[in-house]
Amino acid sequence: MNEIRVLIADDHALMRQGLKKILEMEKDITVVGEAVDGSDALEKAKALQPQVVLMDINMPGVNGVEAIRAFKKEGLNCGIIILTIHDDPEYLFEGIKAGAMGFVLKDVEPDSLINAVRAVSRGESYIQPNMTKELISEFNRLSEKNARKDDDHLTKREREVLTHIANGLSNSEIAEKLVISEKTVKNHVSSILRKLNVMDRTQAAIYAIKNKLI
């Protein structure tokens, strides 16, 4: 049976002791060290070479997410499980984006914690089942936000031009509608295509309709 070496990083001694007691009831899991913050976790991980790190996300000094980024920057080959009292999907998303392989709440059942440690030690990811929906929702929210971030840079006039493009008007027709020169319309169209990162008027129209800009 292969030993799973675990490092616990949490600024609360009672939490570390409780986690250690739960984990070491399993024959295949050994807690090789404890850390009180992210910086301490990084140094101990370098020295102890754990396969799995249980990382509290809210710690003084270097917090969990910052520590995960530091682990990845240093090239440490260990799976990190975020451990937190917060069920806010932003914590989950930020941790996963930083490089964590697991996410469990501190009120998780011991069996689920053990399953998370074993899964991550095998190179698998583990998200506490009741948090999966929140992760997907947060991913979709941020994806939509990123997809639309360039929309905010369109000027009021560019939005007017885009609306007319989507309605199938030509440059000359748009110029007549807005009482501006056709050359000015062409400049607006070029700016719209660049800001929306599309190739032509048709793609701009599709983008506008799809993202409810008009």
Side-chain angles (χ1 to χ4, degrees):
M1 182 181 296
N2 293 327
E3 177 191 57
I4 303 172
R5 297 165 56 82
V6 177
L7 172 67
I8 300 171
D10 195 296
D11 58 316
H12 294 99
L14 284 176
M15 178 59 67
R16 295 196 305 272
Q17 291 169 17
L19 291 170
K20 182 176 181 179
K21 186 174 291 187
I22 290 170
L23 294 174
E24 292 200 327
M25 289 177 67
E26 304 301 312
K27 293 181 180 179
D28 59 332
I29 299 176
T30 300
V31 175
V32 296
E34 300 176 26
V36 298
D37 60 28
S39 179
D40 189 24
L42 181 61
E43 294 307 312
K44 294 220 169 121
K46 289 178 182 178
L48 300 170
Q49 296 295 305
Q51 291 150 285
V52 177
V53 178
L54 286 179
M55 183 83 73
D56 181 20
I57 205 165
N58 281 326
M59 295 183 287
V62 177
N63 67 34
V65 172
E66 292 169 341
I68 294 169
R69 295 191 184 109
F71 270 59
K72 297 306 173 183
K73 186 176 181 180
E74 292 285 341
L76 292 174
N77 187 28
C78 52
I80 300 174
I81 299 173
I82 288 177
L83 192 64
T84 179
I85 59 172
H86 300 283
D87 59 1
D88 188 329
E90 286 191 22
Y91 281 96
L92 171 56
F93 193 82
E94 283 301 311
I96 298 299
K97 191 166 68 171
M101 293 178 64
F103 188 100
V104 295
L105 298 175
K106 287 186 176 180
D107 62 357
V108 70
E109 292 294 326
D111 286 348
S112 294
L113 178 63
I114 301 294
N115 290 338
V117 169
R118 286 178 176 149
V120 170
S121 75
R122 296 191 298 266
E124 302 169 8
S125 60
Y126 184 96
I127 305 297
Q128 190 169 326
N130 64 322
M131 291 298 294
T132 305
K133 181 180 178 181
E134 282 77 4
L135 174 61
I136 293 171
S137 296
E138 182 68 4
F139 177 81
N140 289 337
R141 184 186 73 80
L142 291 175
S143 294
E144 181 180 354
K145 179 180 177 182
N146 289 336
R148 297 190 57 173
K149 64 182 180 181
D150 288 332
D151 307 343
D152 297 333
H153 300 303
L154 293 180
T155 65
K156 181 180 178 182
R157 178 64 85 188
E158 287 168 349
R159 285 179 177 272
E160 291 174 337
V161 172
L162 181 59
T163 298
H164 290 311
I165 289 173
N167 289 329
L169 273 63
S170 66
N171 284 353
S172 59
E173 290 171 327
I174 294 173
E176 185 178 347
K177 283 270 188 183
L178 299 179
V179 195
I180 56 178
S181 71
E182 191 171 342
K183 182 179 179 182
T184 299
V185 174
K186 288 180 179 179
N187 290 337
H188 285 315
V189 172
S190 296
S191 179
I192 290 167
L193 298 183
R194 176 177 54 79
K195 289 181 179 181
L196 298 185
N197 194 28
V198 294
M199 298 295 293
D200 54 40
R201 297 166 69 94
T202 301
Q203 289 183 6
I206 293 171
Y207 184 99
I209 294 169
K210 181 179 178 181
N211 291 284
K212 300 178 181 178
L213 299 184
I214 60 173

